[in-house]
Amino acid sequence: PMNECAHYTQKELPVHPYIVGAFLGCGYIDSETENDYLMFSTNEEDIVNRVAGLLKGKTLKMPKNLWIVTDENGRILTRTEVFRDLSEVSTVPRDRFIPRIYMNASKEQRIWLLKGFMDARGLVGNKYGYSITFYSDNEVLCNDVADLTQGLGFYTFRKEIQNKQTKKKAGIVQGQRSYMMAFYVDEEDFEQCFTLQSKLQMMMDNRDLPLNDLEGDIAITRIRKLGDCPQRCIMVDNAEH
């Protein structure tokens, strides 16, 4: 069964939810130098520009699609100062999860969280039709993202995968076990999932793809009117029937 969006009151969040979502998705930690810089690993400059704008700062391009965020005077911002109250965010990817206060925030705040994460890690268009997917070796984070989209009222499913090949962009390694989640949105809800125009355009291009078989799940793919025909009422043991 599909649930509608769960509504919670707006929360006083320590960091803008877009920044949290983006860092959970593509925040970079240099394990060699162990510096504390606020860094992102992405080829999407717009993500880092939006983060810098929310922090009233600037961006600094580094080699290999790495970005550093500075304040307006060029001082490099650190993860410690930005996420001082969110240690669960500022950690290595395999240990990350969505803080509970963000999962229970208002609909608008959770949508900004989703946008930040899906701008960074959401994949558009694959064997699951017009879905948006996320792959990871972090089971907790994958389940958190699935709970987030389901809580927003989007049809969501998740599964465990034994990887047959390495897909660096998706964050999976051959031979290792990983996890995936996918969700579906109607065309009018596309902008609730991304700010990146490139991904929004991909959603528009894929909107006519069929809703494929979800690995054995049964899904309604078409409804058509048959006209008058014999019917039978099925009684359901529920007070709202």
Side-chain angles (χ1 to χ4, degrees):
M2 284 285 295
N3 60 278
E4 295 183 356
C5 176
H7 292 278
Y8 305 106
T9 58
Q10 184 166 323
K11 301 297 190 299
E12 290 290 335
L13 301 176
V15 182
H16 192 283
Y18 184 90
I19 299 174
V20 172
F23 193 86
L24 285 171
C26 65
Y28 180 78
I29 294 179
D30 191 339
S31 59
E32 294 183 1
T33 64
E34 297 184 353
N35 67 54
D36 192 32
Y37 298 160
L38 180 63
M39 302 178 68
F40 294 84
S41 175
T42 178
N43 60 0
E44 296 287 356
E45 183 177 356
D46 288 346
I47 297 176
V48 195
N49 285 340
R50 184 175 292 276
V51 169
L54 291 168
L55 293 171
K56 297 180 171 55
K58 302 177 182 179
T59 63
L60 180 61
K61 180 72 168 65
M62 304 294 286
K64 300 180 180 180
N65 288 327
L66 293 179
W67 299 83
I68 290 177
V69 180
T70 72
D71 65 13
E72 58 185 354
N73 298 316
R75 181 183 65 85
I76 296 176
L77 297 178
T78 66
R79 299 191 310 275
T80 300
E81 63 181 306
V82 174
F83 298 119
R84 56 184 175 272
D85 298 318
L86 294 171
S87 59
E88 59 268 56
V89 173
S90 181
T91 184
V92 293
R94 65 177 176 273
D95 294 332
R96 292 175 187 171
F97 61 93
I98 299 177
R100 187 52 48 189
I101 189 174
Y102 285 83
M103 294 292 286
N104 295 332
S106 68
K107 177 182 178 181
E108 182 180 4
Q109 291 172 318
R110 283 179 287 142
I111 285 175
W112 274 113
L113 175 68
L114 180 66
K115 286 181 176 182
F117 190 85
M118 289 302 159
D119 276 355
R121 291 293 300 275
L123 301 176
V124 178
N126 59 17
K127 67 177 182 178
Y128 298 108
Y130 62 88
S131 67
I132 303 169
T133 60
F134 164 58
Y135 295 84
S136 177
D137 61 355
N138 183 335
E139 182 180 11
V140 173
L141 181 59
C142 192
N143 284 332
D144 280 353
V145 176
D147 289 343
L148 174 65
T149 57
Q150 194 161 10
L152 287 167
F154 300 136
Y155 176 59
T156 303
F157 74 102
R158 63 195 90 185
K159 65 177 294 187
E160 188 175 305
I161 300 173
Q162 185 67 40
N163 302 319
K164 296 181 180 179
Q165 57 183 327
T166 296
K167 297 181 180 179
K168 187 174 181 181
K169 185 176 180 180
I172 59 179
V173 179
Q174 181 179 5
Q176 292 185 359
R177 191 170 299 279
S178 66
Y179 308 89
M180 68 84 67
M181 58 78 60
F183 66 104
Y184 298 87
V185 294
D186 294 327
E187 184 174 338
E188 60 266 25
D189 294 325
F190 286 174
E191 292 188 356
Q192 294 189 32
C193 306
F194 302 105
T195 69
L196 292 179
Q197 289 303 310
S198 58
K199 291 190 175 183
L200 287 172
Q201 186 59 53
M202 291 175 67
M203 289 295 293
M204 292 297 294
D205 294 342
N206 290 331
R207 67 186 184 276
D208 294 327
L209 289 176
L211 179 64
N212 292 345
D213 176 59
L214 306 182
E215 297 298 301
D217 289 350
I218 297 175
I220 297 174
T221 60
R222 181 181 304 170
I223 298 176
R224 60 191 177 92
K225 186 175 180 179
L226 295 176
D228 295 334
C229 60
Q231 302 178 27
R232 174 176 294 179
C233 179
I234 301 175
M235 181 64 70
V236 178
D237 186 13
N238 188 293
E240 296 183 358
H241 174 70

